[in-house]
Amino acid sequence: MMKNMKLDRVTLPERMFDICNYIFMGVIVTIMLYPFLNVLAISLNDSTDTVRGGIYAWPREFTLNNYAVIMQYDTLITGFMNSVLRTVIGTVLGLIACSMVAYTLSRQDFQAKKFVSIAIVLTMFFSGGLIPTYMLMRDLELINTFAVYIFPLLISAWNVIIIRSFMDNLPVALQESAKIDGANDFTIYWKIILPICKPVLATIALFIAVMQWNMWFDTYIYNSTNESLTTLQYELMKILESTSTSAGAGMDSVRGTADQTNRVSPESVRMAITIVTMVPILIVYPFLQKYFVKGMTLGAVK
Amino acid sequence: MEIGKKKAQPNLWVPDNKKNFWKTMKNQKILYLMSIPFVVWIFVFNYLPVWGWTMAFQDFRPGRSITEQEWVGFKHFITLFQDPHFYLVLRNTLVMSLMLLIVGFTIPIIFAVSLNELKDSLFKRSVQTISYLPHFVSWVVVAGIVTKMLSTDGGIINDLLVSLNIIESPIQFMAQGHWFWVILTGADIWKEMGWNSIIFLAAMAGVDPQLYEAARVDGANRWRRIWHITLPGIRPTIMVILILSIGNMISIGFERQLLLGNSLVREYSEVLELYALNYGIGMGNYSYGTALGIFNSMVSIILLLLANGFFKRMSNTSVM
């Protein structure tokens, strides 16, 4: 690169290109960030003042009151607890399940490798569809249980493939010496493979955690009648729905679930809830960026 | 002893399954224990529902057992094809699929190309990180944000348009059906553009830098370098992603439509799966809803096979 410096003598069209490109990127960054800033500003603004309108990127009358208000919503607290629980349990179990299967698939000598591999990959193309799945959950008596948040989402073909392709690239010698020392297959997986798979496991953990945290549909369809099993996303959905529908539309038949307290919650409070549902994931992802970028590419190449 | 083989795959324990199937199985019992329970798991949660497709050929009543159900053959499919609402829903599905495919496929490439042209690496990395941000946010939040941005009181879009004198009074975007497709596509691109560009950026990083230098010496300008080096360099990636997107085209899901839509724009927002949900589970017409689901899956598989076959012939790229 260095010896080409004199080639870098920037011509006018080249510089124009760069300037336009920077402007373009600036616009994109603004479009990406503004909505979040706006939501944050409104959530930090006094709720009666918000009604006057005109809050854009920063609050006019700063207050943390809205966050204090949402602490009093019982269903939100329950929802938050359930969301945290399902995210933690779902991620831990999902990681163990996916990595265990992935390890057996990375073992070239495993007899049933082909069979297991096909069984898992086919799920990417096949799905029973909404209603049969619903009926199955009903028959398994998983409706109105916490388990419905964990069980159906335990293994994802995509995640297994990503972990496996990482394991495929590990040096064989690692396992060989352990095998000679008499370690069994599970010990090798647990003590040797898992620790060196940290980068890919971090990626998958992020994927599963994001999916679990953001999921609202299973609450909506399976657990909507049981208030103690509600999740944060579902509560937010009800609150946002109730205002958007009452603003112009009238309730949809299937969606008529919002209760009275939700209906009257002012905009600032709604935005505070939105912030609460976003923040946990948004704090984590920048630190895992270099891992998940690698993970994404690995999975795509396969 | 097999040093030469090592570079290929971790083929450590020379498979002796040719010798004795049962003996190997016994030796590998722990591997079996580590995988077979999960295969059973997958069978229950992923393949068993496919059995539920039989419901589409019955007059399914939830109270009865499987043997007591009444078989009606293709009755529900015939009703389906005679149902005018089905064609409306099918139109919505196809239009939105196509819009999402075209926009959701080209914009990330354009974004990745522009990002790739940035030299300043700190700025570049910041833009990247920020562009991933909406991907991590749920559709519930995105729907809330979109509604807020487009609202008539205090929504930035309306405020901007009015203050720039493009329109005279605020538009009720969320309440007018013909805006729905645009809003949905826009929301989707806002959420996934950065994320979907990751793959293309990674592919671009793999393009040989010497090619750029050679082109530069030959006097090729930026556009020509992009057109003749960057884009051909990521062509295989583009192909694979295109085939996968076409395969997923019709299974666009219903989450976005359910959250962004409301009863005022239903004529434009309702897609096949949403119809199956509303009419099937919401109103108890399980058989009809299942028939809708099957139709959806069939179209999806056919599209995937067609796309795969087409591109295989065109360029020897295949995902299957």
Side-chain angles (χ1 to χ4, degrees), chain A residues 44-269:
Chain A
L44 292 172
N45 196 58
D46 183 66
S47 61
T48 40
D49 180 65
T50 306
V51 185
R52 281 171 49 214
I55 311 287
Y56 296 106
W58 46 83
R60 190 165 45 215
E61 283 182 29
F62 182 84
T63 174
L64 287 172
N65 229 343
N66 302 313
Y67 290 91
V69 168
I70 60 177
M71 295 299 281
Q72 289 157 12
Y73 286 10
D74 284 344
T75 47
L76 274 183
I77 306 291
T78 325
F80 186 81
M81 290 306 192
N82 281 328
S83 285
V84 170
L85 260 186
R86 69 177 290 181
T87 305
V88 172
I89 298 175
T91 307
V92 171
L93 293 184
L95 265 188
I96 293 174
C98 291
S99 64
M100 219 186 258
V101 176
Y103 173 65
T104 65
L105 290 180
S106 77
R107 281 278 300 264
Q108 298 299 315
D109 59 326
F110 180 38
Q111 230 175 10
K113 180 175 178 276
K114 195 123 209 182
F115 168 71
V116 177
S117 173
I118 289 172
I120 286 173
V121 170
L122 269 185
T123 61
M124 290 169 80
F125 300 99
F126 254 101
S127 116
L130 199 63
I131 292 172
T133 309
Y134 176 81
M135 300 311 269
L136 177 77
M137 296 303 154
R138 215 191 49 169
D139 292 344
L140 294 174
E141 297 189 357
L142 285 174
I143 286 182
N144 279 327
T145 61
F146 184 78
V148 83
Y149 295 146
I150 309 291
F151 287 3
L153 303 171
L154 194 63
I155 296 177
S156 131
W158 190 246
N159 294 346
V160 171
I161 290 173
I162 294 176
I163 302 178
R164 201 201 96 171
S165 40
F166 186 90
M167 289 175 172
D168 276 348
N169 291 324
L170 296 174
V172 200
L174 285 170
Q175 304 186 40
E176 239 160 21
S177 53
K179 189 76 179 176
I180 292 163
D181 290 346
N184 72 33
D185 291 325
F186 183 78
T187 320
I188 296 177
Y189 154 76
W190 191 255
K191 291 254 169 74
I192 296 171
I193 301 296
L194 276 195
I196 33 177
C197 283
K198 261 186 208 139
V200 74
L201 293 181
T203 311
I204 301 300
L206 178 73
F207 287 175
I208 302 177
V210 170
M211 176 199 66
Q212 284 282 4
W213 180 263
N214 284 344
M215 196 75 116
W216 60 278
F217 188 72
D218 45 12
T219 317
Y220 168 74
I221 196 165
Y222 301 127
N223 289 348
S224 60
T225 52
N226 192 338
E227 216 158 68
S228 65
L229 288 171
T230 189
T231 51
L232 195 53
Q233 299 287 345
Y234 179 62
E235 287 304 315
L236 178 68
M237 184 276 224
K238 281 199 300 191
I239 292 167
L240 294 177
E241 278 299 307
S242 62
T243 40
S244 83
T245 43
S246 64
M251 301 295 253
D252 276 4
S253 57
V254 252
R255 276 189 258 157
T257 38
D259 45 83
Q260 204 58 39
T261 47
N262 292 337
R263 199 175 283 230
V264 292
S265 53
E267 185 172 23
S268 283
V269 175

Side-chain angles (χ1 to χ4, degrees), chain B residues 2 18 73 83 90 94 109 130 140 172 181 202 217 223 236 244 256 284 288 315:
Chain B
E2 283 193 335
K18 303 236 161 44
D83 175 6
L90 185 62
L94 290 176
I109 296 180
I130 291 168
V140 176
Q172 289 212 317
W181 296 338
V217 174
W223 295 108
L244 286 175
R256 293 165 278 192
Y288 189 74
S315 61

Side-chain angles (χ1 to χ4, degrees), chain A residues 4 8 18 21 31 36 56 107 109 111 119 122 128 132 135 151 172 214 216 233 252 267 285 289 297, chain B residues 12-13 21 28 32 41 47 49 53 60 114 120 129 133 136 138 148 159 190 202 213 216 222 255 263:
Chain A
N4 282 318
D8 268 346
D18 277 332
N21 203 9
I31 295 174
F36 294 108
Y56 296 106
R107 281 278 300 264
D109 59 326
Q111 230 175 10
L122 269 185
M135 300 311 269
F151 287 3
V172 200
N214 284 344
W216 60 278
Q233 299 287 345
D252 276 4
E267 185 172 23
Y285 93 89
Q289 183 168 336
T297 8
Chain B
L12 54 163
W13 303 296
F21 183 84
Q28 297 184 338
Y32 272 97
W41 196 270
Y47 295 123
W53 281 13
F60 186 81
S114 334
D120 185 344
T129 309
L133 197 142
F136 293 98
S138 70
K148 171 70 197 144
D159 283 4
W190 180 75
E213 305 213 347
R216 194 180 251 197
R222 286 295 254 293
E255 194 184 359
S263 49

Side-chain angles (χ1 to χ4, degrees), chain A residues 289, chain B residues 115 123-133 201:
Chain A
Q289 183 168 336
Chain B
L115 208 53
F123 182 66
K124 187 173 168 179
R125 255 180 300 145
S126 324
V127 175
Q128 256 175 297
T129 309
I130 291 168
S131 72
Y132 303 153
L133 197 142
L201 271 173

